Amino acid sequence: MKEISLNILDIAENSVKAGATLIEISLTQTGTILQIVIKDNGCGMSPETLKQVENPFYTTRTTRSVGLGIPFYKLAAEQTGGSVTIESVQESESSAQHGTTVTAVFHTDHIDFMPLGDMVSTVCTLIHGSPDIDFFYRHQTEQGSVELDTRAVRQVLGEDLPLDCFEVMEWIRGYLEEQYQALKN
């Protein structure tokens, strides 16, 4: 993948497949460090799966025999001198505190740092593709932050208007773009 935002999209899609009802995506930029945390309340992974998840020849998919999302993400972080850690608790272990957290650290001043990419499109794609799931997105920089919580959007819209309707998606895109523009000024 040529942009980190595509890796984030891939990992968040794994959270969707894991049955998450809330996916939190948090980016924190401090100096030359970018930390990305993707956290869900999905079914979680067994200890055996967690041990294998970084192996490109392991996948739970039946359509192909490789799973490259996490290995590529880890490689991208490690090439900058960063890291990826994955923590997961299965629902059978804890009915209240289950899910998976993927934390990546990138050194943005390293020559091998990939561009972050289009996070607005990534967030919009996730919401449009899974309108029944709640997403919390925050990108914190030294200049300020960009934030969207679909739970708050749902409170304003009520139950009759879905998140994936055209007007709502256009508003979400504009809302995020406006916040990113404010960071540049």
Side-chain angles (χ1 to χ4, degrees), residues 105-125:
V105 175
F106 293 86
H107 293 265
T108 60
D109 60 343
H110 194 281
I111 192 167
D112 289 326
F113 177 71
M114 293 188 303
L116 180 57
D118 186 355
M119 285 306 301
V120 171
S121 289
T122 294
V123 172
C124 288
T125 299

Side-chain angles (χ1 to χ4, degrees), residues 27-181:
L27 288 72
T28 306
Q29 288 181 263
T30 308
T32 61
I33 301 295
L34 171 62
Q35 180 183 46
I36 301 170
V37 179
I38 304 166
K39 180 179 179 180
D40 70 50
N41 65 352
C43 63
M45 292 183 270
S46 69
E48 296 78 30
T49 301
L50 190 57
K51 288 178 189 173
Q52 292 290 324
V53 77
E54 295 176 15
N55 178 351
F57 299 105
Y58 175 82
T59 184
T60 57
R61 294 182 184 181
T62 57
T63 56
R64 63 178 185 226
S65 60
V66 293
L68 298 175
I70 292 290
F72 278 165
Y73 192 52
K74 183 177 181 193
L75 178 64
E78 289 176 347
Q79 284 180 326
T80 71
S83 62
V84 170
T85 58
I86 304 169
E87 299 171 339
S88 192
V89 176
Q90 277 190 300
E91 193 170 9
S92 60
E93 294 176 41
S94 172
S95 61
Q97 299 294 324
H98 56 86
T100 301
T101 302
V102 179
T103 304
V105 175
F106 293 86
H107 293 265
T108 60
D109 60 343
H110 194 281
I111 192 167
D112 289 326
F113 177 71
M114 293 188 303
L116 180 57
D118 186 355
M119 285 306 301
V120 171
S121 289
T122 294
V123 172
C124 288
T125 299
L126 287 166
I127 294 169
H128 190 262
S130 301
D132 296 330
I133 295 175
D134 280 313
F135 292 90
F136 175 76
Y137 174 73
R138 176 183 290 140
H139 186 167
Q140 181 72 43
T141 71
E142 292 171 348
Q143 290 75 36
S145 66
V146 173
E147 190 171 302
L148 175 75
D149 190 336
T150 60
R151 294 168 293 188
V153 175
R154 286 182 207 282
Q155 280 186 325
V156 172
L157 294 177
E159 295 178 22
D160 296 334
L161 195 56
L163 291 181
D164 62 345
C165 86
F166 178 78
E167 293 83 3
V168 174
M169 288 306 307
E170 284 300 300
W171 181 86
I172 289 171
R173 178 176 292 282
Y175 181 70
L176 289 169
E177 288 173 347
E178 184 179 289
Q179 290 182 71
Y180 272 111
Q181 188 60 41

